[in-house]
Amino acid sequence: MNDLHTVVLVTGVLGLLLVATAVGQFLARRSDRGVDQGAVRAFNQRLRGWWIMGGLLAVAFWLGVTATVTLFGLVSFWALREFITLTPTRRGDHRALFWVFVLFTPVHYVLVAYNRYDVFSVFLPVYATLFVLARVAFTGDYTRFLERTAKIQAGLVVCVYCVSFAPALLQLPTGTTAPGSGNFRLLFFLILLVQFSDAMQHVWSRLIGRRLVAEEVSSNRTWEGLLGSATSTALLAAALWWAAPPYEPWQAALAGFVIALLGFAGGMTMAAIKRDRGVKDHGTLVVGHGGVLDRIDSLCFAAPVFYHLTLAVSRAAATPLTGG
Amino acid sequence: MLSPADITAQSRPAPEGVATRSVRSPVCRAAGLTLAAMARLLSGASARWIASQPDTCQRVYFANHTSHLDALVVWASLPQPVRELTRPVAAKDYWSRGMLRRWLAEEVFDALLIDRTDIKVHQSPVDLMLREIGTTKSLIVFPEGSRSVTGEVGEFKSGLYYLAKKRPDIELVPVHIDNLNRVLPRGEFLPVPLLSCISFGPPMWLERDEMKADFLSRARRAVLALKE
């Protein structure tokens, strides 16, 4: 990982974080200047989240592929705990849930670690689904059967399956070269863009937000925020195209645009689930548990699409188009 | 009428060495720390102290009963110095079955096992509890007597009242256990690692001239109030 691209990327992000932290601390210390202290606190809280996230990622990257996959596996496991805790389940779901937690989630991540795309791409959406349906049926409790099994299924797909595409990027063959440090940059690129689009969405909604997307679900996500964030993320992605190996600048811009749209969709989805359960922001049905799910909702939706986009882009790069 | 001090003196156990256990072996201590950490990790339990502080003074923690894990997880949620002095009251029929369970209950988390099927008049559980805790230990009790199936908090049995009456100096701390019944429901063997929450409320005491039924319903409301 000692190549120039990685050094520039890491130094740049570290520098930005340092500057932002300095500004945040500066603003937090002057309460007299009519700055919105609530916004400053939210900003500083978000920065703290980024420091933690960046630190964990740095350590995992340094330790290698297995450690990074394990880190994402633990994040998935914790997010699934939050998801199922948030969702009402019945006694009849207990044994299906047990296997979902102790068997399906870990095995899925082992398959990701061994890069068995042919197996892990169907393991949860097909086999885990069939198992959950059958196991719940075997308990004899048929009350709201489809509703209950769908909840477990949704939790598995969003918290485990989708998130796992982020570390799967590490072993994606990008063009001619074998997977290497470029893949770590790809993963970092994805996470950076997801976080950036999330922050931009808030900024644009605050600056020019007028039309809410769905007031009942989220009171601060606007169409202006969505478009502004997608455009800014596309620009940043285009500027950073050199960091993501198979991408050309225009492809990177497209990827940034798509990541922002999906991140937004993920945020809306999580907001809808929380609203349904009567939990407000940074949801805690069980008090005292800050949301891992809140942190990764955008990543859940963006990761699989970015994975397949990268796959398509690197295939196109490997077989140059022969003009018709 | 007797003053509280008289009552305390009367009910305090005479025999030496019953109340204070001999110093536990390092193996058991290490196992205790490991067990507490595992219980917290598995149950995802976060402890909240609401208008209340952890303290090593003598207390009776009384909680709603939802799962076999209750005694273990409440015990594990206490800070380590408090945990050392706190003994959960647990059902003998469950915790003395099998070598591992018995070892865990007796040596590691130092449970006070009560035989629910064999309660005699002259050997009531309350007297046994008071004798065992002496003047230093605290207790974790479940006044509902048995685990609720629905997750609702049932009526409290009178044991808590007699504890409070015989030892008015002990602080009674309400504890609410949330979501642990989904981690290990009644009749299940394998736990699902969801998240749970243990809330500790402000200490209460038996009021002067308070009737048994009033006290028990006040105690039950104190537990329910922590639910929010």
Side-chain angles (χ1 to χ4, degrees):
Chain A
M1 281 182 40
N2 294 325
D3 55 308
L4 189 64
H5 285 156
T6 310
V7 172
V8 172
L9 193 64
V10 169
T11 324
V13 171
L14 205 62
L16 268 180
L17 270 180
L18 282 171
V19 170
T21 308
V23 171
Q25 292 304 319
F26 176 73
L27 286 178
R29 262 164 219 162
R30 13 185 72 200
S31 45
D32 50 322
R33 287 294 170 85
V35 273
D36 182 356
Q37 281 301 313
V40 171
R41 234 188 331 262
F43 177 69
N44 282 332
Q45 206 172 359
R46 192 172 274 259
L47 270 175
R48 198 158 49 237
W50 284 340
W51 277 112
I52 294 170
M53 205 181 290
L56 281 174
L57 269 180
V59 172
F61 281 7
W62 180 66
L63 288 172
V65 173
T66 313
T68 311
V69 175
T70 310
L71 172 69
F72 278 86
L74 292 174
V75 168
S76 272
F77 189 81
W78 198 274
L80 187 64
R81 286 178 100 168
E82 289 184 357
F83 190 98
I84 300 291
T85 302
L86 203 69
T87 339
T89 54
R90 285 168 65 86
R91 271 294 308 283
D93 305 336
H94 187 82
R95 299 204 173 169
L97 283 172
F98 175 79
W99 294 112
V100 158
F101 275 101
V102 306
L103 183 73
F104 283 99
T105 303
V107 167
H108 176 76
Y109 269 91
V110 170
L111 292 170
V112 170
Y114 283 99
N115 198 26
R116 293 298 303 274
Y117 179 76
D118 52 339
V119 190
F120 83 68
S121 58
V122 289
F123 184 61
L124 291 183
V126 180
Y127 296 105
T129 304
L130 295 181
F131 172 81
V132 167
L133 287 168
R135 189 67 193 84
V136 175
F138 272 52
T139 61
D141 179 3
Y142 57 79
T143 317
R144 292 183 280 113
F145 181 82
L146 278 176
E147 197 184 312
R148 285 156 55 204
T149 49
K151 280 172 190 161
I152 302 175
Q153 162 74 352
L156 263 180
V157 167
V158 171
C159 302
V160 184
Y161 186 69
C162 289
V163 173
S164 72
F165 277 99
L169 280 170
L170 294 181
Q171 305 193 67
L172 188 68
T174 50
T176 50
T177 53
S181 68
N183 290 63
F184 283 99
R185 281 206 307 276
L186 264 181
L187 174 54
F188 192 73
F189 182 74
L190 168 68
I191 292 170
L192 185 69
L193 291 185
V194 165
Q195 295 303 324
F196 181 76
S197 75
D198 225 23
M200 280 298 117
Q201 187 278 124
H202 281 282
V203 170
W204 287 109
S205 279
R206 224 182 156 80
L207 287 179
I208 54 164
R210 294 269 181 283
R211 279 159 295 227
L212 289 166
V213 176
E215 195 182 353
E216 298 81 6
V217 167
S218 169
S219 54
N220 54 21
R221 287 179 181 267
T222 60
W223 287 110
E224 289 83 0
L226 172 59
L227 273 180
S229 134
T231 314
S232 337
T233 311
L235 287 175
L236 178 71
L240 290 176
W241 65 274
W242 47 268
Y247 283 91
E248 299 293 331
W250 70 270
Q251 292 169 327
L254 183 71
F257 196 80
V258 170
I259 285 173
L261 294 187
L262 282 154
F264 190 89
M268 285 295 285
T269 306
M270 238 15 108
I273 293 173
K274 280 188 285 187
R275 275 296 151 96
D276 179 41
R277 298 298 310 134
V279 188
K280 291 198 185 62
D281 293 326
H282 301 292
T284 46
L285 172 73
V286 172
V287 191
H289 290 288
V292 168
L293 210 47
D294 283 345
R295 292 274 87 82
I296 64 162
D297 51 5
S298 318
L299 183 68
C300 292
F301 277 53
V305 178
F306 182 71
Y307 181 92
H308 290 115
L309 210 55
T310 311
L311 197 64
V313 166
S314 45
R315 277 188 187 149
T319 53
L321 293 172
T322 48
Chain B
M1 202 183 148
L2 290 167
S3 74
D6 293 333
I7 298 170
T8 311
Q10 272 185 0
S11 58
R12 193 158 295 163
E16 288 290 318
V18 176
T20 49
R21 288 175 63 89
S22 53
V23 179
R24 289 196 289 161
S25 74
V27 176
C28 291
R29 274 181 62 96
L33 287 174
T34 317
L35 185 71
M38 271 177 57
R40 280 199 307 268
L41 202 65
L42 181 86
S43 62
S46 64
R48 297 193 299 159
W49 293 81
I50 300 163
S52 181
Q53 290 291 324
D55 199 311
T56 50
C57 69
Q58 230 182 342
R59 281 174 164 177
V60 171
Y61 302 91
F62 60 99
N64 57 324
H65 202 7
T66 59
S67 164
H68 274 314
L69 292 174
D70 287 349
L72 180 61
V73 173
V74 171
W75 173 79
S77 304
L78 292 166
Q80 206 256 337
V82 182
R83 200 190 307 140
E84 291 278 299
L85 294 169
T86 306
R87 303 188 62 182
V89 174
K92 198 171 201 163
D93 49 282
Y94 180 80
W95 282 102
S96 64
R97 206 181 304 148
M99 294 270 284
L100 179 67
R101 257 186 234 173
R102 195 181 317 149
W103 179 70
L104 285 177
E106 288 178 359
E107 300 297 330
V108 179
F109 71 94
D110 196 15
L112 185 57
L113 299 181
I114 299 288
D115 194 337
R116 291 186 290 191
T117 55
D118 184 33
I119 293 171
K120 299 189 188 78
V121 181
H122 57 276
Q123 178 67 311
S124 79
V126 171
D127 291 334
L128 180 70
M129 287 176 207
L130 290 174
R131 193 165 68 236
E132 288 283 325
I133 61 173
T135 52
T136 49
K137 298 263 176 157
S138 297
L139 280 178
I140 300 169
V141 299
F142 301 95
E144 287 167 271
S146 64
R147 289 164 296 152
S148 79
V149 185
T150 53
E152 299 294 311
V153 179
E155 291 301 319
F156 281 6
K157 298 228 163 87
S158 51
L160 187 66
Y161 170 78
Y162 292 114
L163 268 177
K165 192 164 181 172
K166 290 186 176 174
R167 286 292 302 277
D169 57 313
I170 296 185
E171 293 187 355
L172 307 171
V173 177
V175 181
H176 183 260
I177 301 171
D178 190 19
N179 222 29
L180 210 52
N181 57 332
R182 289 175 69 201
V183 175
L184 187 68
R186 201 181 173 130
E188 290 292 343
F189 174 65
L190 297 166
V192 170
L194 299 179
L195 302 169
S196 56
C197 183
I198 313 294
S199 311
F200 297 87
M204 55 181 278
W205 292 268
L206 179 63
E207 298 289 332
R208 183 184 289 267
D209 302 329
E210 192 173 15
M211 299 300 287
K212 188 171 85 174
D214 296 339
F215 169 77
L216 289 175
S217 86
R218 183 163 71 93
R220 182 170 170 272
R221 283 198 308 277
V223 170
L224 285 173
L226 297 170
K227 197 172 175 183
E228 283 175 25

